[in-house]
């Protein structure tokens, strides 16, 4: 018999997390956990849940891929005419969540969102596989289409258009950077008494971070 959803549970026992265990810089701490996830063979460790809120006040979430992280923030790329982009242009704040179940870890990031420069978007687009470059032209992302054949026909047209030449970046495609003002590291612990360490910026332009331990 299939188990009841309410009976599904896992006891987290791998390790703990304390204020003394983390680095003073949350970006460096993120890289430490991200590198550990890579070494552990976590599938797609750069997959992150992006939550946006549109002009109508309704939240929306989806999985996107982190493509760069630096002191400036966390960068991903998308179609600027998609629903996520329309949300971000109307309300330029977002939350990112990484979840590594095998490591019993979660990372939450909140902050304002800015478009990256055209030069950055051009450089990343040029590094993509050609099929993905064509795909950026093919898909009217988030818009209704008649059938799968609509995409395959558009794909044939753009492959012919850009035959024997580099594929340029579409003007409607580029990057966003989430500039964090809050980053939280969560480590699963027994009896649901999880460890949570939160970094908060002292102010918008500050490079100083306040460090707190949160109750689970």
């Amino acid at each position: 018999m299939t188990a009841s959803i309410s009976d599904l549970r896992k006891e987290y026992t791998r390790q703990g997390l304390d204020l003394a265990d983390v680095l003073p810089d949350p970006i460096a701490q993120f890289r430490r956990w991200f590198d550990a996830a890579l070494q552990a063979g976590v599938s797609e460790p750069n997959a992150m849940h992006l939550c946006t809120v549109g002009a109508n006040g309704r939240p929306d979430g989806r999985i996107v891929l982190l493509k760069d992280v630096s002191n400036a923030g966390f960068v991903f790329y998308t179609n600027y005419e998609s629903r996520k982009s329309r949300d971000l242009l109307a309300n330029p704040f977002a939350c990112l969540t990484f979840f590594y179940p095998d490591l019993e870890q979660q990372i939450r990031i909140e902050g304002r969102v800015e478009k990256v420069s055209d030069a950055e978007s051009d450089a990343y687009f040029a590094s993509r596989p050609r099929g993905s470059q064509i795909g950026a032209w093919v898909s009217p992302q988030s818009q209704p289409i008649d059938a799968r054949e609509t995409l395959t026909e558009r794909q044939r047209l753009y492959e012919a258009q850009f035959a024997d030449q580099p594929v340029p970046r579409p003007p409607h495609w580029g990057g966003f950077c989430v500039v964090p003002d809050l980053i939280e590291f969560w480590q699963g612990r027994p009896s649901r008494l999880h460890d949570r360490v939160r970094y908060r910026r002292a102010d918008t332009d500050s490079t100083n971070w306040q460090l707190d331990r949160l109750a689970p």
Side-chain angles (χ1 to χ4, degrees), residues 160-182:
Q161 179 176 335
F162 298 124
D164 303 319
Q165 62 177 293
V167 180
R169 177 176 65 89
H172 58 264
W173 191 98
F176 283 109
C177 179
V178 179
V179 182
D181 52 42
L182 182 150

Side-chain angles (χ1 to χ4, degrees), residues 98-146:
F98 295 83
F99 183 46
Y100 303 144
D102 292 344
L103 301 179
E104 302 173 358
Q105 293 175 339
Q106 175 180 265
I107 308 168
R108 292 181 56 253
I109 298 150
E110 298 177 15
R112 72 182 188 277
V113 179
E114 304 171 347
K115 279 187 175 180
V116 307
S117 69
D118 287 346
E120 290 176 88
S121 290
D122 287 341
Y124 174 69
F125 189 81
S127 75
R128 303 182 86 203
R130 188 175 178 86
S132 297
Q133 292 176 334
I134 295 289
W137 284 94
V138 168
S139 175
Q141 194 173 110
S142 302
Q143 301 303 314
I145 57 174
D146 294 333

Side-chain angles (χ1 to χ4, degrees), residues 25-28 30-31 48 65-77 96 98 109-116 120 175-183 201 209:
D25 177 6
I27 302 300
F30 173 84
R31 289 184 180 279
M48 57 189 185
L65 297 179
L66 177 71
K67 288 301 177 181
D68 190 28
V69 58
S70 68
N71 288 335
F74 298 77
V75 175
F76 65 94
Y77 291 86
L96 305 173
F98 295 83
I109 298 150
E110 298 177 15
R112 72 182 188 277
V113 179
E114 304 171 347
K115 279 187 175 180
V116 307
E120 290 176 88
F176 283 109
C177 179
V178 179
V179 182
D181 52 42
L182 182 150
I183 303 180
R201 284 192 194 271
W209 294 86

Side-chain angles (χ1 to χ4, degrees), residues 3 46 49 54 78 85 93 100 110 123 134 136 191 198-199 206 211:
N46 62 327
H49 180 266
T78 188
S85 295
F93 295 90
Y100 303 144
E110 298 177 15
I134 295 289
S191 302
R198 180 185 64 186
Y199 296 78
S206 176
L211 198 54

Side-chain angles (χ1 to χ4, degrees), residues 5-13 99 104 186-196 213-216:
I5 293 176
S6 63
D7 291 333
L8 296 175
R9 57 178 50 86
K10 175 184 176 181
E11 191 76 347
Y12 299 113
T13 60
F99 183 46
E104 302 173 358
W186 177 99
Q187 181 71 56
R189 297 299 304 277
S191 302
R192 297 298 186 260
L193 297 176
H194 311 304
D195 290 332
R196 298 172 62 192
R213 181 183 179 93
L214 302 180

